[in-house]
């Protein structure tokens, strides 16, 4: 059973940075990982995702400011958030799902937030102006 545990959220001023971490405590391997966020009263929003080949995709609102990365030796996913804005205030979730394909051909398809199978408990990020 996959178990995702986020950390690193907090309250910061606009322009500051935070780094979120997500540990797969069961050391599940070969999962497609991503970050999703949800602000009060708003739909869930894809923030960033990373493919098996290390390629990354970002939501338009965070491009150029956020960086997703992973350390497979530590089973940890990161989200470096720079130049934070008040509109980045949300609960941030680490999510995961199984790749499609086999072996060296395995890949992570583009998924909508609700399509991810595994979710962490979330970590709150609050940015004040």
């Amino acid at each position: 059973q996959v178990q995702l545990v986020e950390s690193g959220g907090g309250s910061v001023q606009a322009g500051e940075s935070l780094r979120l971490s997500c540990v797969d405590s069961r050391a599940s391997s070969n999962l497609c990982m991503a970050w999703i966020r949800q602000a009060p009263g708003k739909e869930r929003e894809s923030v960033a995702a990373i493919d098996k080949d290390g390629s990354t995709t970002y939501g338009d609102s965070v491009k150029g400011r956020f960086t997703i990365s992973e350390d497979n030796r530590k089973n940890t996913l990161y989200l470096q958030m720079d130049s934070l804005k008040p509109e980045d205030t949300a609960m941030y979730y680490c999510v995961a799902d199984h790749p499609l394909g086999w072996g060296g051909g395995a890949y992570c398809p583009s998924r909508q937030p609700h399509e991810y199978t595994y979710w962490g408990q979330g970590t709150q990020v609050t940015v004040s102006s």
Side-chain angles (χ1 to χ4, degrees), residues 6-76:
E6 303 102 330
S7 62
S11 297
V12 297
Q13 298 286 321
E16 294 183 342
S17 298
L18 280 174
R19 188 175 81 156
L20 306 184
S21 299
C22 170
V23 177
D24 176 0
S25 62
R26 302 294 177 95
S28 308
S29 62
N30 203 37
L31 292 175
C32 299
M33 308 290 292
W35 290 96
I36 303 291
R37 69 184 182 186
Q38 187 167 25
K42 295 189 176 181
E43 302 267 330
R44 290 172 176 172
E45 177 186 11
S46 294
V47 176
I50 188 163
D51 206 333
K52 304 313 295 177
D53 63 359
S55 60
T56 56
T57 57
Y58 295 93
D60 288 341
S61 61
V62 306
K63 281 180 182 176
R65 299 188 298 121
F66 290 12
T67 304
I68 187 172
S69 62
E70 62 183 353
D71 185 337
N72 291 322
R73 296 169 301 173
K74 297 181 180 179
N75 299 307
T76 302

Side-chain angles (χ1 to χ4, degrees), residues 63-106:
K63 281 180 182 176
R65 299 188 298 121
F66 290 12
T67 304
I68 187 172
S69 62
E70 62 183 353
D71 185 337
N72 291 322
R73 296 169 301 173
K74 297 181 180 179
N75 299 307
T76 302
L77 181 74
Y78 300 101
L79 184 67
Q80 178 66 39
M81 305 186 295
D82 298 320
S83 302
L84 282 161
K85 303 176 180 180
E87 51 264 44
D88 295 317
T89 295
M91 185 70 80
Y92 284 72
Y93 297 92
C94 173
V95 297
D97 210 318
H98 300 284
L100 299 182
W102 300 94

